[in-house]
Coordinates of all heavy atoms in Angstrom, one line a residue:
M22 N 167.1 51.8 -75.0 CA 167.1 51.3 -76.3 C 167.6 49.8 -76.2 O 167.0 48.9 -76.9 CB 168.1 52.1 -77.1 CG 168.1 51.7 -78.6 SD 166.5 52.0 -79.3 CE 166.9 52.2 -81.0
N23 N 168.6 49.5 -75.4 CA 169.1 48.2 -75.2 C 168.0 47.3 -74.6 O 167.9 46.1 -75.0 CB 170.4 48.1 -74.3 CG 171.6 48.6 -75.1 OD1 171.6 48.6 -76.3 ND2 172.6 49.0 -74.4
T24 N 167.3 47.8 -73.7 CA 166.2 47.1 -73.0 C 165.1 46.7 -74.1 O 164.7 45.5 -74.1 CB 165.5 47.9 -71.9 OG1 166.5 48.3 -71.0 CG2 164.5 47.1 -71.2
L25 N 164.8 47.6 -74.9 CA 163.8 47.3 -75.9 C 164.3 46.3 -76.9 O 163.5 45.3 -77.2 CB 163.5 48.6 -76.7 CG 162.4 48.5 -77.8 CD1 161.1 48.0 -77.3 CD2 162.3 49.8 -78.6
L26 N 165.5 46.4 -77.3 CA 166.1 45.4 -78.2 C 166.2 44.0 -77.5 O 165.8 43.0 -78.2 CB 167.5 45.8 -78.6 CG 168.2 45.0 -79.6 CD1 167.4 44.8 -80.9 CD2 169.6 45.5 -80.0
S27 N 166.5 44.0 -76.3 CA 166.6 42.7 -75.5 C 165.2 42.1 -75.5 O 165.0 40.9 -75.6 CB 167.1 42.9 -74.1 OG 168.4 43.4 -74.2
Q28 N 164.2 42.9 -75.2 CA 162.8 42.4 -75.1 C 162.3 41.8 -76.5 O 161.7 40.8 -76.5 CB 161.9 43.5 -74.6 CG 162.0 43.9 -73.2 CD 161.2 45.1 -72.8 OE1 160.6 45.8 -73.6 NE2 161.1 45.3 -71.5
L29 N 162.7 42.5 -77.5 CA 162.3 42.0 -78.8 C 163.0 40.7 -79.2 O 162.4 39.8 -79.7 CB 162.6 43.1 -79.9 CG 161.7 44.3 -79.9 CD1 162.3 45.4 -80.9 CD2 160.3 44.0 -80.2
L30 N 164.3 40.6 -78.8 CA 165.0 39.4 -79.1 C 164.4 38.2 -78.2 O 164.3 37.1 -78.7 CB 166.5 39.5 -78.8 CG 167.2 40.4 -79.8 CD1 168.7 40.7 -79.3 CD2 167.2 39.7 -81.2
I31 N 164.0 38.5 -77.0 CA 163.4 37.5 -76.2 C 162.1 37.0 -76.8 O 161.8 35.8 -76.8 CB 163.2 38.0 -74.7 CG1 164.6 38.1 -74.0 CG2 162.3 37.1 -73.9 CD1 164.6 38.8 -72.7
K32 N 161.3 38.0 -77.2 CA 160.0 37.6 -77.8 C 160.2 36.8 -79.1 O 159.5 35.8 -79.3 CB 159.2 38.9 -78.1 CG 158.5 39.5 -76.9 CD 157.7 40.7 -77.3 CE 157.1 41.3 -76.1 NZ 156.2 42.4 -76.4
L33 N 161.2 37.1 -79.9 CA 161.5 36.4 -81.1 C 161.9 35.0 -80.8 O 161.4 34.0 -81.4 CB 162.6 37.1 -81.9 CG 163.0 36.4 -83.2 CD1 161.8 36.3 -84.2 CD2 164.1 37.2 -83.8
A34 N 162.7 34.8 -79.8 CA 163.2 33.5 -79.3 C 162.0 32.7 -78.8 O 161.9 31.5 -79.1 CB 164.2 33.6 -78.3
Q35 N 161.1 33.3 -78.1 CA 159.9 32.6 -77.6 C 159.0 32.1 -78.8 O 158.5 31.0 -78.8 CB 159.1 33.5 -76.7 CG 159.8 33.7 -75.3 CD 159.1 34.7 -74.5 OE1 158.3 35.6 -75.0 NE2 159.3 34.6 -73.2
K36 N 158.8 33.0 -79.8 CA 158.0 32.6 -80.9 C 158.6 31.5 -81.7 O 157.9 30.6 -82.2 CB 157.8 33.9 -81.8 CG 156.8 34.9 -81.3 CD 156.5 36.0 -82.2 CE 155.6 37.0 -81.6 NZ 154.3 36.9 -82.1
E37 N 159.9 31.5 -81.9 CA 160.6 30.4 -82.6 C 160.5 29.1 -81.8 O 160.2 28.1 -82.4 CB 162.1 30.8 -82.8 CG 162.3 31.8 -83.8 CD 163.8 32.2 -84.0 OE1 164.7 31.6 -83.3 OE2 164.1 33.0 -84.9
A38 N 160.6 29.2 -80.5 CA 160.4 28.0 -79.7 C 159.0 27.4 -79.8 O 158.8 26.2 -79.9 CB 160.8 28.2 -78.2
D39 N 158.0 28.3 -79.8 CA 156.6 27.9 -79.9 C 156.4 27.3 -81.3 O 155.6 26.3 -81.4 CB 155.7 29.1 -79.7 CG 155.6 29.6 -78.3 OD1 156.1 28.9 -77.4 OD2 155.2 30.8 -78.1
E40 N 157.0 27.9 -82.3 CA 156.8 27.4 -83.7 C 157.4 26.0 -83.8 O 156.8 25.1 -84.4 CB 157.5 28.3 -84.7 CG 157.3 27.9 -86.1 CD 157.9 28.8 -87.1 OE1 158.1 30.0 -86.8 OE2 158.3 28.3 -88.2
K41 N 158.6 25.7 -83.1 CA 159.2 24.4 -83.2 C 158.3 23.4 -82.5 O 158.1 22.3 -82.9 CB 160.6 24.4 -82.5 CG 161.6 25.1 -83.4 CD 163.0 25.0 -82.8 CE 164.0 25.7 -83.7 NZ 165.3 25.7 -83.1
R42 N 157.7 23.8 -81.3 CA 156.8 22.9 -80.6 C 155.6 22.6 -81.5 O 155.1 21.4 -81.5 CB 156.4 23.5 -79.3 CG 157.4 23.3 -78.2 CD 156.8 23.7 -76.8 NE 156.5 25.1 -76.7 CZ 157.3 26.0 -76.3 NH1 158.6 25.7 -76.0 NH2 157.0 27.3 -76.1
L43 N 155.0 23.6 -82.1 CA 153.9 23.3 -83.0 C 154.2 22.4 -84.2 O 153.5 21.5 -84.5 CB 153.4 24.7 -83.5 CG 152.1 24.6 -84.5 CD1 151.0 24.0 -83.7 CD2 151.8 26.0 -85.0
Q44 N 155.4 22.6 -84.8 CA 155.8 21.7 -85.9 C 156.0 20.3 -85.4 O 155.6 19.3 -86.1 CB 157.1 22.2 -86.5 CG 157.0 23.5 -87.3 CD 158.3 24.1 -87.7 OE1 159.4 23.7 -87.3 NE2 158.3 25.0 -88.6
T45 N 156.5 20.1 -84.2 CA 156.6 18.8 -83.6 C 155.3 18.1 -83.4 O 155.1 17.0 -83.7 CB 157.4 18.8 -82.3 OG1 158.7 19.4 -82.5 CG2 157.6 17.5 -81.7
R46 N 154.3 18.9 -82.9 CA 153.0 18.4 -82.7 C 152.3 18.0 -84.0 O 151.7 16.9 -84.1 CB 152.1 19.4 -81.9 CG 152.5 19.6 -80.5 CD 151.6 20.6 -79.8 NE 150.4 19.9 -79.5 CZ 149.3 20.4 -79.0 NH1 149.4 21.7 -78.6 NH2 148.2 19.8 -78.7
V47 N 152.5 18.8 -85.0 CA 151.9 18.5 -86.3 C 152.5 17.3 -86.9 O 151.8 16.4 -87.4 CB 152.1 19.7 -87.3 CG1 151.8 19.3 -88.7 CG2 151.2 20.9 -86.8
A48 N 153.8 17.1 -86.8 CA 154.5 15.9 -87.3 C 154.0 14.7 -86.5 O 153.8 13.6 -87.2 CB 156.0 16.1 -87.2
S49 N 153.8 14.8 -85.2 CA 153.3 13.7 -84.4 C 151.9 13.3 -84.9 O 151.6 12.1 -85.0 CB 153.3 14.0 -82.9 OG 154.6 14.3 -82.5
L50 N 151.1 14.3 -85.1 CA 149.7 14.0 -85.5 C 149.7 13.4 -86.9 O 148.9 12.5 -87.2 CB 148.9 15.3 -85.5 CG 148.5 15.8 -84.1 CD1 147.9 17.2 -84.2 CD2 147.6 14.8 -83.4
E51 N 150.6 13.8 -87.8 CA 150.7 13.2 -89.1 C 151.0 11.8 -89.0 O 150.4 10.9 -89.7 CB 151.7 14.0 -90.0 CG 151.2 15.3 -90.5 CD 152.3 16.1 -91.3 OE1 153.4 15.6 -91.3 OE2 151.9 17.1 -91.9
M52 N 152.0 11.4 -88.2 CA 152.3 10.0 -88.0 C 151.2 9.2 -87.4 O 150.9 8.1 -87.9 CB 153.6 9.9 -87.1 CG 154.9 10.3 -87.7 SD 156.3 10.0 -86.8 CE 156.2 11.3 -85.6
L53 N 150.5 9.8 -86.5 CA 149.3 9.1 -85.9 C 148.2 8.9 -86.9 O 147.7 7.7 -87.0 CB 148.8 9.9 -84.7 CG 147.5 9.4 -84.0 CD1 147.8 8.1 -83.4 CD2 147.0 10.4 -83.0
V54 N 147.9 9.9 -87.7 CA 146.9 9.7 -88.7 C 147.3 8.7 -89.7 O 146.5 7.8 -90.2 CB 146.5 11.1 -89.3 CG1 145.7 10.9 -90.6 CG2 145.8 12.0 -88.3
S55 N 148.6 8.8 -90.1 CA 149.1 7.8 -91.1 C 149.0 6.4 -90.6 O 148.6 5.5 -91.3 CB 150.5 8.2 -91.5 OG 151.0 7.3 -92.5
A56 N 149.3 6.2 -89.3 CA 149.2 4.9 -88.7 C 147.8 4.4 -88.7 O 147.5 3.2 -89.0 CB 149.8 4.9 -87.3
V57 N 146.9 5.2 -88.3 CA 145.5 4.8 -88.3 C 145.0 4.5 -89.7 O 144.3 3.5 -89.9 CB 144.6 6.0 -87.6 CG1 143.1 5.7 -87.8 CG2 144.9 6.1 -86.1
I58 N 145.3 5.3 -90.6 CA 144.9 5.1 -92.0 C 145.4 3.8 -92.5 O 144.8 3.0 -93.2 CB 145.3 6.3 -92.9 CG1 144.4 7.5 -92.7 CG2 145.3 5.9 -94.4 CD1 144.8 8.7 -93.4
S59 N 146.6 3.4 -92.1 CA 147.3 2.2 -92.6 C 146.5 0.9 -92.1 O 146.7 -0.1 -92.7 CB 148.7 2.1 -92.2 OG 148.9 1.9 -90.8
T60 N 145.7 1.1 -91.1 CA 145.0 -0.1 -90.6 C 143.6 -0.2 -91.2 O 142.9 -1.2 -91.0 CB 144.8 0.0 -89.1 OG1 144.0 1.1 -88.7 CG2 146.1 0.1 -88.3
M61 N 143.2 0.8 -92.0 CA 141.9 0.8 -92.6 C 141.8 0.1 -94.0 O 142.8 0.2 -94.8 CB 141.4 2.2 -92.7 CG 141.3 3.0 -91.4 SD 140.9 4.7 -91.7 CE 139.2 4.6 -91.3
D62 N 140.7 -0.6 -94.2 CA 140.6 -1.2 -95.6 C 140.0 -0.1 -96.5 O 139.6 1.0 -96.1 CB 139.7 -2.4 -95.5 CG 138.3 -2.2 -95.0 OD1 137.8 -1.0 -95.2 OD2 137.6 -3.1 -94.6
D63 N 140.0 -0.4 -97.8 CA 139.5 0.6 -98.8 C 138.1 1.1 -98.5 O 137.9 2.3 -98.7 CB 139.6 0.0 -100.2 CG 141.0 -0.2 -100.7 OD1 141.9 0.2 -100.0 OD2 141.2 -0.9 -101.7
H64 N 137.2 0.3 -98.1 CA 135.8 0.7 -97.9 C 135.8 1.7 -96.7 O 135.1 2.8 -96.8 CB 135.0 -0.5 -97.5 CG 133.6 -0.1 -97.1 ND1 132.7 0.3 -98.1 CD2 132.9 -0.1 -95.9 CE1 131.5 0.6 -97.4 NE2 131.7 0.3 -96.1
K65 N 136.5 1.5 -95.7 CA 136.6 2.4 -94.5 C 137.3 3.7 -94.9 O 136.9 4.8 -94.5 CB 137.3 1.8 -93.3 CG 136.4 0.8 -92.7 CD 137.1 0.2 -91.4 CE 136.3 -0.8 -90.8 NZ 136.9 -1.4 -89.6
L66 N 138.3 3.7 -95.8 CA 139.0 4.9 -96.2 C 138.0 5.7 -97.1 O 138.0 7.0 -96.9 CB 140.2 4.5 -97.0 CG 141.4 4.2 -96.2 CD1 142.6 3.7 -97.2 CD2 141.9 5.4 -95.4
I67 N 137.3 5.1 -97.9 CA 136.3 5.9 -98.8 C 135.3 6.5 -97.9 O 134.9 7.7 -98.1 CB 135.7 5.0 -99.9 CG1 136.8 4.6 -100.9 CG2 134.5 5.6 -100.5 CD1 136.4 3.5 -101.8
K68 N 134.8 5.8 -96.9 CA 133.8 6.3 -96.0 C 134.3 7.5 -95.2 O 133.7 8.5 -95.1 CB 133.3 5.2 -95.1 CG 132.2 5.6 -94.1 CD 131.7 4.5 -93.2 CE 130.7 5.0 -92.3 NZ 130.3 4.0 -91.3
L69 N 135.6 7.4 -94.7 CA 136.2 8.4 -93.9 C 136.4 9.7 -94.8 O 136.0 10.8 -94.4 CB 137.6 8.0 -93.4 CG 138.4 9.0 -92.7 CD1 137.8 9.5 -91.5 CD2 139.8 8.5 -92.5
K70 N 136.9 9.5 -96.0 CA 137.0 10.7 -96.9 C 135.7 11.3 -97.2 O 135.6 12.6 -97.3 CB 137.7 10.2 -98.2 CG 139.2 9.9 -98.0 CD 139.8 9.2 -99.1 CE 140.1 10.2 -100.2 NZ 140.8 9.6 -101.4
G71 N 134.6 10.5 -97.4 CA 133.3 11.1 -97.6 C 132.8 11.9 -96.4 O 132.2 13.0 -96.6
E72 N 133.0 11.4 -95.2 CA 132.6 12.1 -94.0 C 133.3 13.4 -93.8 O 132.8 14.4 -93.5 CB 132.8 11.2 -92.8 CG 131.8 10.0 -92.7 CD 132.1 9.0 -91.6 OE1 133.1 9.3 -90.8 OE2 131.4 8.0 -91.5
I73 N 134.6 13.4 -94.1 CA 135.4 14.6 -94.0 C 134.9 15.6 -95.1 O 134.7 16.8 -94.8 CB 136.9 14.3 -94.2 CG1 137.5 13.5 -93.0 CG2 137.7 15.6 -94.4 CD1 138.8 13.0 -93.2
D74 N 134.7 15.2 -96.3 CA 134.2 16.0 -97.3 C 132.9 16.7 -96.9 O 132.6 17.8 -97.1 CB 134.0 15.2 -98.6 CG 133.6 16.1 -99.8 OD1 134.2 17.2 -99.9 OD2 132.8 15.7 -100.6
L75 N 132.0 15.9 -96.4 CA 130.7 16.4 -95.9 C 130.8 17.4 -94.8 O 130.1 18.5 -94.9 CB 129.8 15.2 -95.4 CG 128.4 15.5 -95.0 CD1 127.6 16.0 -96.2 CD2 127.7 14.3 -94.4
L76 N 131.7 17.2 -93.9 CA 131.9 18.1 -92.8 C 132.4 19.5 -93.3 O 132.0 20.5 -92.9 CB 132.8 17.6 -91.7 CG 132.3 16.5 -90.9 CD1 133.4 15.9 -90.0 CD2 131.2 17.0 -90.0
V77 N 133.3 19.4 -94.3 CA 133.9 20.6 -94.8 C 132.9 21.4 -95.6 O 132.8 22.6 -95.6 CB 135.2 20.2 -95.7 CG1 135.6 21.4 -96.5 CG2 136.3 19.7 -94.8
R78 N 132.1 20.6 -96.4 CA 131.0 21.3 -97.2 C 130.0 22.0 -96.3 O 129.4 23.0 -96.8 CB 130.3 20.3 -98.1 CG 131.2 19.9 -99.3 CD 130.5 18.8 -100.0 NE 131.3 18.2 -101.1 CZ 131.3 18.7 -102.3 NH1 130.6 19.7 -102.6 NH2 132.1 18.2 -103.2
R79 N 129.8 21.5 -95.1 CA 128.8 22.2 -94.2 C 129.4 23.5 -93.7 O 128.6 24.4 -93.3 CB 128.5 21.3 -93.0 CG 127.6 20.1 -93.4 CD 127.3 19.3 -92.2 NE 126.6 18.1 -92.5 CZ 126.4 17.1 -91.7 NH1 127.0 17.1 -90.5 NH2 125.8 16.0 -92.1
E80 N 130.7 23.6 -93.6 CA 131.3 24.8 -93.0 C 131.2 26.0 -94.1 O 131.4 25.7 -95.3 CB 132.7 24.6 -92.7 CG 132.9 23.6 -91.5 CD 132.4 24.1 -90.2 OE1 132.6 25.3 -89.9 OE2 131.8 23.3 -89.5
T81 N 131.0 27.2 -93.6 CA 131.1 28.3 -94.5 C 132.5 28.9 -94.2 O 132.7 29.4 -93.1 CB 130.0 29.4 -94.1 OG1 129.2 28.9 -93.2 CG2 129.2 29.7 -95.3
L82 N 133.3 28.9 -95.1 CA 134.7 29.3 -94.9 C 135.0 30.5 -95.8 O 134.7 30.6 -96.9 CB 135.7 28.2 -95.3 CG 135.5 26.9 -94.5 CD1 136.4 25.8 -95.1 CD2 136.0 27.1 -93.1
P83 N 135.8 31.5 -95.1 CA 136.3 32.6 -95.9 C 137.2 32.1 -97.0 O 137.8 31.0 -96.8 CB 137.0 33.5 -94.9 CG 136.5 33.0 -93.6 CD 136.1 31.6 -93.7
V84 N 137.5 32.8 -98.0 CA 138.3 32.4 -99.2 C 139.7 32.0 -98.7 O 140.2 30.9 -99.1 CB 138.4 33.5 -100.2 CG1 139.4 33.1 -101.3 CG2 137.0 33.8 -100.8
G85 N 140.3 32.7 -97.8 CA 141.7 32.4 -97.4 C 141.7 31.0 -96.6 O 142.7 30.3 -96.8
E86 N 140.7 30.8 -95.8 CA 140.7 29.5 -95.1 C 140.4 28.3 -96.0 O 140.7 27.2 -95.7 CB 139.7 29.6 -94.0 CG 140.1 30.5 -92.8 CD 139.1 30.5 -91.7 OE1 138.4 29.5 -91.5 OE2 139.1 31.5 -91.0
R87 N 139.7 28.6 -97.1 CA 139.4 27.5 -98.1 C 140.6 26.9 -98.6 O 140.7 25.7 -98.9 CB 138.5 28.1 -99.2 CG 137.8 27.0 -100.0 CD 136.7 27.7 -100.9 NE 135.5 27.9 -100.2 CZ 134.5 26.9 -100.1 NH1 134.8 25.7 -100.6 NH2 133.4 27.1 -99.6
D88 N 141.7 27.7 -98.8 CA 143.0 27.2 -99.3 C 143.6 26.3 -98.3 O 144.2 25.3 -98.6 CB 143.9 28.4 -99.6 CG 143.5 29.2 -100.8 OD1 142.7 28.7 -101.6 OD2 143.9 30.4 -100.9
D89 N 143.5 26.7 -97.0 CA 144.0 25.8 -95.9 C 143.3 24.5 -95.9 O 143.9 23.4 -95.7 CB 143.8 26.5 -94.6 CG 144.7 27.8 -94.4 OD1 145.7 27.9 -95.2 OD2 144.4 28.6 -93.6
V90 N 142.0 24.5 -96.1 CA 141.2 23.3 -96.1 C 141.6 22.4 -97.3 O 141.7 21.2 -97.2 CB 139.7 23.6 -96.1 CG1 138.9 22.3 -96.3 CG2 139.3 24.2 -94.7
Y91 N 141.8 23.0 -98.4 CA 142.2 22.3 -99.6 C 143.5 21.6 -99.4 O 143.7 20.4 -99.7 CB 142.3 23.3 -100.8 CG 142.9 22.6 -102.0 CD1 142.1 21.8 -102.8 CD2 144.2 22.8 -102.4 CE1 142.6 21.1 -103.9 CE2 144.7 22.2 -103.5 CZ 143.9 21.3 -104.3 OH 144.5 20.7 -105.4
L92 N 144.4 22.3 -98.7 CA 145.7 21.7 -98.4 C 145.6 20.5 -97.4 O 146.2 19.5 -97.6 CB 146.7 22.8 -97.8 CG 148.1 22.3 -97.4 CD1 148.8 21.8 -98.7 CD2 148.8 23.5 -96.8
L93 N 144.7 20.7 -96.4 CA 144.4 19.6 -95.5 C 143.9 18.4 -96.2 O 144.4 17.3 -96.0 CB 143.5 20.1 -94.4 CG 142.9 19.1 -93.5 CD1 144.0 18.5 -92.6 CD2 141.7 19.6 -92.7
L94 N 142.9 18.6 -97.0 CA 142.3 17.5 -97.7 C 143.3 16.8 -98.7 O 143.3 15.6 -98.8 CB 141.0 18.0 -98.5 CG 139.9 18.4 -97.6 CD1 138.8 19.0 -98.4 CD2 139.4 17.3 -96.7
R95 N 144.1 17.6 -99.3 CA 145.1 17.1 -100.2 C 146.1 16.2 -99.4 O 146.5 15.1 -99.8 CB 145.9 18.2 -100.9 CG 146.5 17.7 -102.2 CD 147.1 18.9 -102.9 NE 148.5 18.9 -102.6 CZ 149.3 20.0 -102.7 NH1 148.8 21.1 -103.1 NH2 150.5 19.9 -102.3
N96 N 146.5 16.6 -98.2 CA 147.4 15.8 -97.3 C 146.7 14.5 -96.9 O 147.3 13.5 -96.9 CB 147.8 16.6 -96.1 CG 148.8 17.7 -96.5 OD1 149.5 17.7 -97.5 ND2 148.9 18.7 -95.6
I97 N 145.4 14.6 -96.5 CA 144.7 13.4 -96.1 C 144.6 12.4 -97.3 O 144.9 11.2 -97.1 CB 143.3 13.8 -95.6 CG1 143.5 14.5 -94.2 CG2 142.5 12.5 -95.4 CD1 142.2 15.1 -93.7
S98 N 144.3 12.9 -98.5 CA 144.2 12.1 -99.6 C 145.6 11.5 -100.0 O 145.6 10.3 -100.3 CB 143.7 12.9 -100.9 OG 142.4 13.2 -100.7
G99 N 146.6 12.2 -99.8 CA 148.0 11.7 -100.0 C 148.3 10.6 -99.1 O 148.9 9.6 -99.5
M100 N 148.0 10.8 -97.8 CA 148.3 9.7 -96.8 C 147.4 8.5 -97.1 O 147.9 7.4 -97.0 CB 148.0 10.2 -95.4 CG 149.0 11.1 -94.8 SD 148.7 11.4 -93.1 CE 147.8 13.0 -93.2
A101 N 146.2 8.7 -97.5 CA 145.3 7.5 -97.8 C 145.8 6.8 -99.1 O 145.8 5.6 -99.1 CB 143.9 8.0 -98.0
S102 N 146.3 7.6 -100.0 CA 146.8 6.9 -101.3 C 148.1 6.1 -101.1 O 148.3 5.2 -101.8 CB 146.9 8.0 -102.4 OG 148.0 8.8 -102.1
I103 N 148.9 6.5 -100.1 CA 150.1 5.7 -99.8 C 149.7 4.3 -99.4 O 150.3 3.4 -99.8 CB 150.9 6.4 -98.7 CG1 151.6 7.7 -99.3 CG2 152.0 5.5 -98.1 CD1 152.2 8.6 -98.2
H104 N 148.7 4.2 -98.6 CA 148.2 2.9 -98.1 C 147.3 2.2 -99.0 O 147.1 1.0 -98.9 CB 147.6 3.1 -96.7 CG 148.6 3.8 -95.7 ND1 149.7 3.1 -95.3 CD2 148.6 5.0 -95.1 CE1 150.3 3.9 -94.4 NE2 149.7 5.1 -94.4
S105 N 146.6 3.0 -99.9 CA 145.7 2.4 -100.8 C 145.7 3.2 -102.1 O 145.0 4.1 -102.3 CB 144.3 2.4 -100.2 OG 143.4 1.9 -101.1
P106 N 146.7 2.9 -103.0 CA 146.9 3.7 -104.2 C 145.6 3.8 -105.1 O 145.5 4.8 -105.8 CB 148.0 2.9 -105.0 CG 148.7 2.1 -103.9 CD 147.6 1.8 -102.9
E107 N 144.7 2.9 -105.0 CA 143.5 2.9 -105.8 C 142.7 4.2 -105.5 O 141.9 4.7 -106.3 CB 142.6 1.7 -105.6 CG 143.2 0.4 -105.9 CD 144.1 -0.1 -104.7 OE1 143.6 0.0 -103.6 OE2 145.2 -0.6 -105.0
L108 N 142.8 4.7 -104.2 CA 142.0 5.8 -103.8 C 142.6 7.1 -104.3 O 142.0 8.2 -104.1 CB 142.0 5.8 -102.3 CG 141.2 4.7 -101.6 CD1 141.3 4.8 -100.1 CD2 139.8 4.7 -102.1
L109 N 143.8 7.1 -104.9 CA 144.4 8.3 -105.4 C 143.5 9.1 -106.4 O 143.3 10.3 -106.3 CB 145.8 8.0 -106.0 CG 146.6 9.3 -106.4 CD1 146.8 10.1 -105.2 CD2 147.9 8.8 -107.1
N110 N 142.8 8.3 -107.2 CA 142.0 8.9 -108.2 C 140.7 9.4 -107.7 O 140.0 10.3 -108.3 CB 141.7 7.9 -109.3 CG 142.9 7.6 -110.1 OD1 143.8 8.4 -110.3 ND2 143.0 6.3 -110.6
S111 N 140.3 9.0 -106.5 CA 139.0 9.4 -105.9 C 139.3 10.5 -104.8 O 138.7 10.5 -103.8 CB 138.3 8.3 -105.3 OG 139.0 7.7 -104.2
S112 N 140.2 11.4 -105.1 CA 140.7 12.4 -104.2 C 139.5 13.3 -103.8 O 138.8 13.8 -104.7 CB 141.8 13.2 -104.8 OG 142.1 14.3 -103.9
I113 N 139.3 13.6 -102.5 CA 138.3 14.5 -102.1 C 138.8 16.0 -102.3 O 138.0 16.9 -102.3 CB 137.9 14.3 -100.7 CG1 139.0 14.3 -99.7 CG2 137.1 13.0 -100.6 CD1 138.7 14.2 -98.3
A114 N 140.1 16.2 -102.4 CA 140.6 17.5 -102.5 C 140.0 18.2 -103.8 O 139.8 19.4 -103.8 CB 142.1 17.5 -102.6
S115 N 139.8 17.4 -104.8 CA 139.2 18.0 -106.1 C 137.8 18.4 -105.9 O 137.3 19.1 -106.8 CB 139.4 17.0 -107.2 OG 138.6 15.8 -107.0
S116 N 137.1 18.0 -104.9 CA 135.7 18.3 -104.7 C 135.5 19.6 -104.0 O 134.4 20.0 -103.8 CB 135.0 17.2 -104.0 OG 135.5 17.0 -102.7
I117 N 136.6 20.3 -103.5 CA 136.4 21.5 -102.8 C 136.8 22.7 -103.8 O 137.9 22.9 -104.0 CB 137.4 21.6 -101.6 CG1 137.1 20.5 -100.7 CG2 137.3 22.9 -100.9 CD1 136.0 20.7 -99.7
C118 N 135.9 23.3 -104.3 CA 136.2 24.5 -105.2 C 134.9 25.2 -105.5 O 133.9 24.9 -105.2 CB 136.9 24.1 -106.5 SG 138.6 23.6 -106.2

């Protein structure tokens, strides 16, 4: 019984460590994307958002994954609007439904 409990605790600790590594990678990628977006002019941002929208529309996604894509697009639009507030109204997140 103690061995089983120990194994479960070890697995839990490993999953937590993996989750922290994943969170760190996601945060790093967010910073990278934000830095790249900050160098783009409005025309390039609109083009990028259109290309992402087109790629997403080509994919056939199950309903649960559609929510994830909506969140992704909302985050991208949010990052773009920080660097170019005029683009906030042309959010691609509203085009996925």
Side-chain angles (χ1 to χ4, degrees):
M22 188 67 156
N23 284 340
T24 305
L25 179 61
L26 184 57
S27 296
Q28 289 174 346
L29 289 173
L30 288 173
I31 289 170
K32 284 184 180 183
L33 179 61
Q35 289 171 338
K36 287 185 182 258
E37 287 178 359
D39 290 344
E40 184 178 333
K41 285 182 182 180
R42 278 193 292 275
L43 181 59
Q44 288 174 347
T45 301
R46 290 182 75 184
V47 167
S49 298
L50 288 172
E51 285 176 349
M52 286 188 283
L53 176 63
V54 169
S55 184
V57 169
I58 286 174
S59 71
T60 66
M61 301 174 100
D62 62 24
D63 289 351
H64 176 71
K65 286 183 180 180
L66 280 172
I67 291 169
K68 184 178 176 184
L69 174 66
K70 290 170 73 176
E72 289 173 2
I73 292 169
D74 186 41
L75 183 62
L76 288 172
V77 169
R78 287 176 185 269
R79 287 184 186 163
E80 293 293 321
T81 356
L82 300 170
V84 175
E86 288 182 28
R87 198 168 271 280
D88 292 340
D89 294 340
V90 170
Y91 174 76
L92 181 61
L93 170 68
L94 294 174
R95 202 172 96 202
N96 287 340
I97 290 170
S98 292
M100 283 189 265
S102 68
I103 289 170
H104 302 293
S105 181
E107 304 83 41
L108 294 176
L109 185 59
N110 294 329
S111 65
S112 172
I113 56 174
S115 63
S116 65
I117 301 275
C118 288

